[in-house]
Amino acid sequence: MSVFTGTLTADLLLGDVHSLKGKRAVVRPIVAELRRRFAVAAAEVGDQELHRRAQVGLATVSADAGQVADVLDACERLLAERPEVTLLSTHRQLVSDTD
């Protein structure tokens, strides 16, 4: 049996945010929703010192590569559909334990 690990890093542009406190108020609920809805590990992983930019990373594990891809697709859709942020880019990686 193989184990597949998928990661997604998303670069986000935040809307009307003027402080790091305001940024946290936008990013934290997004990270919490990703964790709750898709059972992924998720966190803000970059651009922490910038007010209007955020980088969110997430990871998921499954015995089925298709399941990993489906979860990453759903997470990316959620990020793209959030009205308070603009999804600028994503980077994905899928790794098998046999690689």
Side-chain angles (χ1 to χ4, degrees):
M1 173 187 267
S2 292
V3 175
F4 296 93
T5 304
T7 61
L8 176 76
T9 305
D11 289 315
L12 306 174
L13 177 65
L14 283 59
D16 193 27
V17 174
H18 302 288
S19 68
L20 292 177
K21 185 176 178 180
K23 175 183 180 176
R24 281 193 308 275
V26 172
V27 174
R28 279 188 180 164
I30 293 171
V31 169
E33 185 174 2
L34 287 166
R35 290 175 180 162
R36 185 180 67 253
R37 285 185 56 187
F38 305 111
V40 296
E44 182 180 358
V45 296
D47 294 332
Q48 282 132 337
E49 70 289 346
L50 301 176
H51 293 65
R52 295 197 60 226
R53 293 287 296 270
Q55 194 174 75
V56 173
L58 57 95
T60 187
V61 177
S62 177
D64 178 14
Q67 172 67 21
V68 170
D70 289 347
V71 170
L72 295 181
D73 287 345
C75 291
E76 187 171 341
R77 272 194 306 276
L78 181 142
L79 292 168
E81 292 169 357
R82 294 296 293 237
E84 70 273 30
V85 299
T86 302
L87 180 60
L88 298 176
S89 67
T90 60
H91 174 74
R92 290 179 179 224
Q93 190 169 12
L94 178 65
V95 179
S96 168
D97 65 344
T98 59
D99 286 349

